[in-house]
Amino acid sequence: MLTAARRGLAGAALALLLVLGAVGPAGAALRGGPDVECPAGQNDCSIWDDDPGLPGGPGGGGTGGDTGGSTGGGGSTDGPAAKCQWNGRALPCHDDLLGWFNNADGCYYKLAEPQPSVVEGKQWYVKTCNGGDLGAQETVLLDAAPGGFEAPPDPAELARQALASIELLPPRLKVAPRRGKGPGLVGLPVWMWASPGPNYFGPLHASASDRGLTVALSATVDRIVWDMDNGDTVTCTGPGTPYVVDGPRAGLTSPDCGYDQGYAQARTYRIRATTHWTVSWEGGGQSDSFPLTRTSNVVPIEIDELQVVTG
């Protein structure tokens, strides 16, 4: 019988199979939801910014960049959502020498010390304009603090900084059978697994601090979804078990991550897999979580028809 022949050949077929690994461009969740791919070769996209604002206006968003001065006031220059910008240039919202940046006029302000004179209800500020360029500085008397002055740390921005300090890598895939060492057979099980480790499956932890506020962040993979290139997907909760040629389950199905029924047609299939991360953070009385994905390159697997020899 054909079924008996398949069973008899299963152990021998899988005993000849090795593994194949692959790494590919990352998929990530950007604004607009999960499963949006990062640019090729970029593992760490910036992930969330519900209201980036308008460049040049109060609270305006920026596109990132490196300028002098220290970062603070909720405006990092390291990511694409820096909240302080002037003439298309991202700026730190706080500078140790110049003070606090005001998006409305492109000037930094700091309290003058000492105050030139005492005026009831008013204070003197050292004002540095042109995006903080020295040489355009004056002392001004104001009724109230200018916009952005002594803005508290932004917990969401600190979470961005914490996320930027860790690396969430796309999965490194391995399968049995391996096309280069011999094809698989129609109807026989396929084993799939991925390289384990914190950068591939988590958990990863990071934190970022600014002026007494610390935000803690954690990231872990909830599942890995394998695209079998025939309309089927297989969802696993972990990296899977490597296939061992002479192991106790040689010729059988994978105990935790496999395509048990095998392929129904003979051809070369291109398998890929996506890890689904959940990133959570809390600090400053706020908390949030959001999804990220990382997607591998393809792993080819060749499937042949099972040949039955009759006497």
Side-chain angles (χ1 to χ4, degrees), residues 63-72 75-79 82 84-96 98 101 108 130-133:
T63 57
D66 293 326
T67 61
S70 62
T71 299
S76 168
T77 60
D78 295 331
C84 293
Q85 186 184 76
W86 188 249
N87 289 337
R89 179 164 56 112
L91 298 170
C93 291
H94 178 265
D95 185 281
D96 288 339
L98 305 179
F101 187 76
Y108 282 93
N130 296 331
D133 293 338

Side-chain angles (χ1 to χ4, degrees), residues 99-251:
W100 301 88
F101 187 76
N102 182 3
N103 275 301
D105 60 8
C107 300
Y108 282 93
Y109 292 83
K110 69 180 298 183
L111 279 173
E113 296 179 357
Q115 292 278 298
S117 61
V118 177
V119 180
E120 186 176 355
K122 299 185 178 183
Q123 286 184 305
W124 292 92
Y125 294 84
V126 178
K127 177 182 178 182
T128 307
C129 292
N130 296 331
D133 293 338
L134 295 177
Q137 196 170 74
E138 62 178 321
T139 302
V140 295
L141 184 64
L142 301 178
D143 294 324
F149 192 80
E150 292 188 349
D154 181 0
E157 179 62 26
L158 290 180
R160 291 186 185 92
Q161 295 177 25
L163 181 60
S165 70
I166 58 178
E167 192 171 19
L168 281 57
L169 297 178
R172 297 174 58 92
L173 306 188
K174 300 183 180 182
V175 299
R178 175 182 176 179
R179 186 179 65 168
K181 294 295 183 179
L185 297 175
V186 168
L188 294 186
V190 175
W191 286 50
M192 301 98 69
W193 67 102
S195 297
N199 292 101
Y200 299 104
F201 281 87
L204 290 172
H205 303 280
S207 63
S209 300
D210 182 19
R211 287 166 284 150
L213 172 62
T214 297
V215 167
L217 176 143
S218 63
T220 189
V221 168
D222 302 317
R223 65 193 185 279
I224 178 171
V225 179
W226 297 75
D227 182 347
M228 306 308 295
D229 192 29
N230 64 347
D232 289 348
T233 59
V234 176
T235 299
C236 303
T237 57
T241 301
Y243 181 75
V244 179
V245 173
D246 57 354
R249 293 193 62 84

